[in-house]
């Protein structure tokens, strides 16, 4: 510091760098509220996953835009919030994959003191979010949920 109370050397400045990320994707219209979707078949897939894996409390099918498509969550839960959280999880996972050059988002699991939230990519428009209690068999969930996500992708493609 000099006599006038300022520093003699300049602080380092951030230098803009060129991005190596691919251009942003333009996503198709939301599936939320699409009446042509086969909701009965979709609900059957969600229910079967819930029944196959003890400890799964419910499932949410949401768009990558964070809007709810359908769910089988218990009464009193907030499936709209879970759809938004799934989209946030997808966004973070997608950026990690892009930054590390590991490819597109497939799945992410968050473990909390009382349970899990696992989010699986269904297609470019939809996500499957599964809520489980702490005792859920996560390995079994990870074996079964991707196949459900694939079947959901087929159903969404047929209804879109």
């Amino acid at each position: 510091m000099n006599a006038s109370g300022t520093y003699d050397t300049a602080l380092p400045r951030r230098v803009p760098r060129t991005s190596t990320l691919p251009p942003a994707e333009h996503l198709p219209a939301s599936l939320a509220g699409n009446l042509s979707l086969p909701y009965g078949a979709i609900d059957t897939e969600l229910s079967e996953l819930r029944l196959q894996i003890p400890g799964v409390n419910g499932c949410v099918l949401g768009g990558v835009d964070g809007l709810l498509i359908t769910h089988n969550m218990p009464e009193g839960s907030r499936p709209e919030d879970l759809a938004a959280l799934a989209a946030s999880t997808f966004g973070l996972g997608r950026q990690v994959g892009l930054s590390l050059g590991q490819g597109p988002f497939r799945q992410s699991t968050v473990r909390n003191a009382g349970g899990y939230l696992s989010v699986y990519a269904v297609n470019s428009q939809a996500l499957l979010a599964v809520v489980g209690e702490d005792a859920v068999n996560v390995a079994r969930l990870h074996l079964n949920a991707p196949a459900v996500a694939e079947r959901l992708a087929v159903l969404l493609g047929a209804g879109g």
Side-chain angles (χ1 to χ4, degrees):
M1 191 179 302
N2 60 26
S4 65
T6 60
Y7 290 98
D8 292 327
T9 58
L11 295 175
R13 302 275 183 210
R14 290 187 69 176
V15 177
R17 41 182 198 160
T18 58
S19 176
T20 58
L21 296 177
E25 296 178 43
H26 293 287
L27 298 175
S30 178
L31 293 173
N34 182 340
L35 298 178
S36 70
L37 295 177
Y39 286 99
I42 291 169
D43 290 339
T44 298
E45 288 292 341
L46 298 181
S47 295
E48 286 180 8
L49 179 61
R50 190 172 175 184
L51 292 173
Q52 287 173 355
I53 316 284
V56 169
N57 296 333
C59 305
V60 168
L61 181 64
V64 295
D65 57 5
L67 297 177
L68 178 66
I69 298 169
T70 190
H71 72 93
N72 71 354
M73 294 296 296
E75 191 71 31
S77 62
R78 299 188 324 230
E80 295 85 1
D81 291 350
L82 287 171
L85 288 170
S88 296
T89 302
F90 161 74
L92 178 61
R94 181 177 165 271
Q95 285 307 117
V96 168
L98 287 171
S99 295
L100 297 177
Q102 294 177 335
F105 175 84
R106 294 288 181 246
Q107 179 270 326
S108 180
T109 297
V110 177
R111 180 176 186 208
N112 298 301
Y116 292 85
L117 171 66
S118 289
V119 178
Y120 302 88
V122 171
N123 60 19
S124 65
Q125 292 178 274
L127 304 165
L128 170 63
V130 181
V131 178
E133 56 194 41
D134 193 45
V136 72
N137 184 333
V138 179
R140 188 170 175 193
L141 176 63
H142 289 337
L143 285 174
N144 287 279
V148 172
E150 287 178 18
R151 291 191 298 273
L152 289 170
V154 171
L155 291 170
L156 293 175

